[in-house]
Amino acid sequence: MLYSSSDAMQLLESLGNLMESKIMPNARRIDAERIFPRENLDMLFKHGLCRIPFPSRYGGLELPYPVYIASLEMLGMACASTGLSLAIHCTVCSGIEMFGSEEQKEHYLKPLIHGKMLGAFALTEPDAGSDAKAIQTRARLDEHNNSYIINGRKRFITNGGYADLYLVFAVTEKGYSAFLVDKDCNGLRIGKYMDKMGVRGSTLTELHLNDCIVPKANLLGEEGKGYDYAMEMLHTGRIGIAALSTGIAQIAFEKSLAYSKRRYAFGKPIAEFQMIRQKLADMHTAISAARHLTLSAAWAKDNGLDYALIAAEAKLFASETAKMVSDEAIQIHGAYGYVDEYDVNRHWRDARMMSIGEGTSEIMRLIISHRLLRSDVL
Ligand SMILES: Cc1cc2nc3c(=O)[nH]c(=O)nc-3n(C[C@H](O)[C@H](O)[C@H](O)COP(=O)(O)OP(=O)(O)OC[C@H]3O[C@@H](n4cnc5c(N)ncnc54)[C@H](O)[C@@H]3O)c2cc1C
């Protein structure tokens, strides 16, 4: 195991119980009725999930990063909508911890990790997704009023409409920069809520910034360094998406294993057919590999190593595994997998997002190959 302290084990056990008893039973309803999982988030905040990796001086538990990642895997099993919402929130927390001033940590990080505020990460725009350098949102310094004036439009923003704080990326005359924008900032408006095929409980909205006035003190870190900050936050966030993906794959596998033992065809359980056994073996092997890669990435981050490469590998492998496993889960369930009576089609829809958000599989392959070639590994 990568973590061993009894505090960590106790916390994981209590979070596991909470997810099994309170969160998993509502996951189907949250998806079907597109309910924002506010209650789930509140319970998880109360149990300290978001405080796990952060320093104690801000109220964090200072436990190893793999403990947080193991919790996210359980959450991926219990309810992927809640998992996505929480993972993005925690990415914002990490950004403030890494690059924020002491005042910003007091003012924002503390309430965020305690769940008194919810965060959203606003990078993507209608014409800038993978090519994040192409953002058109602009910020102008107004020295007279000690503030920045931001204009632009963001799209596909998780937690949009429910977040209290938006971490917005915009270009100033000094370059790419990051801003902490309060939800009631003058000039900030939540745009269209976008319906989607999976993770339906978490919201996805547009964000309109029209002469949005942000105090100068809300610039995150240094002006002009925002692109590096965004990439660093994404490296961190990708380990979380890998964990959610592993959790989705694990629950789809468990349901398939149980079903294969009770579904009869040709006079015996389908689990006795070699082709079904091969599927189960391949699914389980891929999940184990995804979990180990993901925890290794978390361990590398925790130990101050350069973890961008392994985080991309974990995100790529785990998200593709979630797609493969949830697809095979539908196949094993036959027609029951295709209809809504069983949950596996929800897992398949949830898994589909994981190889797109926080960087597509194609972009993960670009990052991995770029790192390998740069360091002359090949
Ligand atoms: C459910 C969900 C939640 C999200 N939440 C957030 C959020 O909270 N905050 C936020 O800022 N964004 C969020 N996003 C946006 C997400 O990060 C982007 O969708 C993603 O980065 C891809 O951008 P795009 O959709 O514009 O695709 P594009 O960049 O337009 O890519 C289209 C296709 O081209 C491929 N492609 C692009 N460039 C290359 C290349 N150089 N080589 C090979 N292939 C390439 C891509 O892999 C993809 O297959 C979310 C998306 C989803 C689906």
Side-chain angles (χ1 to χ4, degrees):
M1 288 200 110
L2 291 165
Y3 40 84
S4 60
S5 88
S6 63
D7 283 355
M9 293 313 287
Q10 269 175 21
L11 180 64
L12 282 175
E13 204 180 320
S14 99
L15 282 167
N17 290 338
L18 173 76
M19 291 181 203
E20 207 175 334
S21 62
K22 297 268 198 302
I23 293 182
M24 196 181 276
N26 285 323
R28 177 194 279 245
R29 195 168 63 87
I30 280 176
D31 172 73
E33 297 174 24
R34 294 156 167 82
I35 301 167
F36 185 74
R38 184 79 249 182
E39 276 179 37
N40 287 349
L41 292 171
D42 287 344
M43 286 190 280
L44 292 163
F45 284 132
K46 210 167 143 201
H47 273 68
L49 199 163
C50 193
R51 290 160 56 212
I52 292 174
F54 294 103
S56 55
R57 65 181 178 281
Y58 306 113
L61 301 175
E62 264 184 51
L63 287 169
Y65 206 69
V67 178
Y68 162 68
I69 287 302
S71 312
L72 273 194
E73 185 191 322
M74 293 193 292
L75 193 51
M77 288 180 73
C79 176
S81 289
T82 308
L84 180 64
S85 180
L86 191 112
I88 299 275
H89 168 85
C90 288
T91 298
V92 172
C93 297
S94 297
I96 298 174
E97 194 222 344
M98 288 188 280
F99 309 115
S101 65
E102 216 35 62
E103 292 74 32
Q104 288 168 344
K105 289 177 190 174
E106 279 295 322
H107 192 68
Y108 291 114
L109 185 60
K110 262 189 186 174
L112 282 166
I113 67 174
H114 287 87
K116 295 193 171 117
M117 291 180 97
L118 188 67
F121 181 83
L123 175 65
T124 306
E125 299 185 357
D127 295 312
S130 304
D131 185 5
K133 277 193 177 151
I135 60 168
Q136 292 299 314
T137 300
R138 295 289 180 263
R140 180 171 56 80
L141 180 61
D142 178 357
E143 290 280 15
H144 188 63
N145 291 308
N146 220 16
S147 59
Y148 286 92
I149 300 171
I150 308 182
N151 278 287
R153 187 148 63 107
K154 298 290 176 181
R155 183 170 283 173
F156 304 129
I157 306 308
T158 299
N159 293 339
Y162 287 85
D164 303 286
L165 180 72
Y166 294 85
L167 206 172
V168 173
F169 293 88
V171 177
T172 69
E173 64 174 18
K174 290 190 180 158
Y176 219 100
S177 304
F179 299 90
L180 300 170
V181 181
D182 284 294
K183 69 168 185 212
D184 43 16
C185 232
N186 223 335
L188 176 73
R189 185 171 65 80
I190 306 302
K192 191 164 84 179
Y193 282 68
M194 309 179 101
D195 212 354
K196 51 187 160 26
M197 65 185 272
V199 284
R200 287 169 163 178
S202 67
T203 54
L204 201 62
T205 69
E206 291 201 338
L207 211 61
H208 298 268
L209 300 119
N210 295 320
D211 287 334
C212 178
I213 301 166
V214 178
K216 201 174 167 187
N218 282 28
L219 171 74
L220 184 72
E222 287 178 46
E223 202 177 324
K225 294 208 169 156
Y227 186 75
D228 293 342
Y229 298 164
M231 293 306 113
E232 197 63 39
M233 284 180 233
L234 287 171
H235 296 326
T236 302
R238 282 169 191 149
I239 310 176
I241 298 293
L244 291 178
S245 303
T246 308
I248 295 170
Q250 177 69 30
I251 192 72
F253 168 77
E254 286 180 14
K255 287 175 183 168
S256 304
L257 183 69
Y259 185 80
S260 72
K261 289 194 263 185
R262 64 173 191 269
R263 175 70 178 173
Y264 275 68
F266 301 95
K268 48 182 156 177
I270 60 168
E272 289 192 20
F273 299 122
Q274 226 173 32
M275 276 189 267
I276 298 293
R277 288 183 168 222
Q278 181 181 356
K279 285 186 196 303
L280 292 170
D282 288 350
M283 290 157 86
H284 193 263
T285 304
I287 293 167
S288 296
R291 179 175 299 121
H292 281 91
L293 200 45
T294 303
L295 286 171
S296 297
W299 182 86
K301 174 178 161 53
D302 222 25
N303 284 277
L305 305 175
D306 180 358
Y307 64 95
L309 170 69
I310 193 168
E313 288 175 338
K315 206 266 181 186
L316 171 64
F317 190 78
S319 63
E320 294 295 331
T321 293
K323 286 198 297 194
M324 180 276 281
V325 169
S326 57
D327 196 62
E328 289 290 44
I330 292 179
Q331 200 65 19
I332 289 172
H333 282 75
Y336 291 103
Y338 194 73
V339 296
D340 288 342
E341 198 171 325
Y342 287 73
D343 279 330
V344 285
N345 85 48
R346 170 165 57 86
H347 302 318
W348 182 82
R349 288 186 285 102
D350 289 344
R352 197 61 193 83
M353 176 269 163
M354 301 293 153
S355 62
I356 299 173
E358 301 227 7
T360 64
S361 286
E362 289 78 12
I363 296 302
M364 293 309 100
R365 290 186 170 100
L366 280 184
I367 293 172
I368 295 163
S369 56
H370 175 72
R371 293 251 161 184
L372 295 176
L373 290 161
R374 200 181 59 180
S375 58
D376 291 334
V377 169
L378 293 181

